[in-house]
Amino acid sequence: MQKIRPVVPLILVFIVTLLIAATPYDQIPTIFNGLVPVGSKLVSQSFIRRDSGEGEMKITMINVTFTASKRYNASHTDFDSEFRFNLDELVYPEVLIQTQGKYYKMALESDIESVRKSYANRKSDPTISYDTPKETKYPWGWGITQRVHHKYMGAGSAPDDISYHGEYLGMLINGPVIKKFKFSVSGVESAQEADQWAKACAEQIMNVTPDQIQ
């Protein structure tokens, strides 16, 4: 049986080339500062923007990433919670967006399947165990959360510490603009905390125009 090769649109290769050529900034745009969770601190951040061409052939490439952490206040478990944010944004001639949009959608579905498998394949052991993941669809994409048991290993008995992991993938195509984003959360106290942060990030991305990301 003949194998079908995945199609990688040339526009994606072009995006990577432009971003590599661009000069990164050491701080995220101020318009995203409100997405850093209260009580956490930024441990890494990056912003890349590149504008090229003119008129109808003008191209804008944007990448914003950051990781924030805060201490997890558990009874007997010692670690930091983490919040990871990644946004790739492209402004390109609309006619090309229309022809390439389907490839972005295919890539998103492939990414979702990869994350789904990684959560399903997590193996419990004597120190940690994982509940069945829960998936949720959103107007802007998809998310998955999982309850994690950190088992008490000291003398006597004590209840497990509980934390949650979550991962969220989304994409918006509006006219000449494609916004592709990914958020991940680990070690938070509830699935609601992870979900609310991801929703806030997605809403901010939906409401911000490329010109506002400076």
Side-chain angles (χ1 to χ4, degrees):
M1 183 175 67
Q2 184 179 6
K3 293 184 178 179
I4 300 175
R5 292 184 177 180
V7 179
V8 179
L10 292 178
I11 194 170
L12 291 178
V13 177
F14 190 50
I15 290 172
V16 173
T17 302
L18 284 177
L19 288 177
I20 290 175
T23 301
Y25 300 87
D26 59 1
Q27 290 185 329
I28 61 173
T30 56
I31 200 164
F32 293 121
N33 285 347
L35 297 178
V36 178
V38 175
S40 70
K41 62 179 181 179
L42 285 170
V43 295
S44 67
Q45 54 183 319
S46 175
F47 166 46
I48 301 174
R49 181 186 178 107
R50 182 175 176 86
D51 298 288
S52 62
E54 296 180 354
E56 294 182 356
M57 291 306 296
K58 183 178 180 180
I59 301 170
T60 298
M61 307 297 309
I62 295 169
N63 174 257
V64 180
T65 63
F66 70 78
T67 300
S69 70
K70 65 178 182 179
R71 202 64 181 162
Y72 181 79
N73 297 316
S75 298
H76 53 78
T77 309
D78 187 23
F79 60 84
D80 289 333
S81 305
E82 280 197 344
F83 302 79
R84 295 179 181 270
F85 174 101
N86 184 81
L87 166 66
D88 288 307
E89 194 156 323
L90 164 69
V91 184
Y92 210 73
E94 190 169 351
V95 63
L96 292 181
I97 295 293
Q98 291 173 355
T99 59
Q100 297 293 327
K102 63 180 180 181
Y103 295 113
Y104 283 91
K105 293 176 181 177
M106 290 168 58
L108 178 64
E109 289 301 320
S110 177
D111 291 344
I112 288 173
E113 184 59 28
S114 177
V115 172
R116 179 183 290 125
K117 287 181 179 179
S118 71
Y119 270 68
N121 290 337
R122 289 178 173 176
K123 303 297 183 183
S124 300
D125 61 38
T127 64
I128 194 167
S129 64
Y130 302 94
D131 286 2
T132 301
K134 177 184 177 182
E135 297 185 31
T136 305
K137 289 187 177 181
Y138 300 96
W140 42 263
W142 172 91
I144 188 169
T145 55
Q146 189 171 48
R147 189 171 187 246
V148 183
H149 300 252
H150 306 269
K151 299 179 181 179
Y152 178 68
M153 303 299 293
S157 62
D160 294 344
D161 284 334
I162 303 296
S163 69
Y164 288 81
H165 291 185
E167 200 151 338
Y168 307 82
L169 293 89
M171 184 177 64
L172 300 168
I173 302 178
N174 184 15
V177 182
I178 291 181
K179 302 177 181 182
K180 186 176 180 182
F181 45 92
K182 178 180 179 180
F183 320 127
S184 62
V185 180
S186 63
V188 295
E189 295 184 5
S190 68
Q192 290 75 21
E193 181 179 357
D195 291 342
Q196 288 172 4
W197 179 71
K199 290 175 185 177
C201 291
E203 289 173 2
Q204 179 78 328
I205 289 171
M206 286 188 286
N207 293 327
V208 170
T209 68
D211 289 340
Q212 293 175 296
I213 306 176
Q214 301 285 349

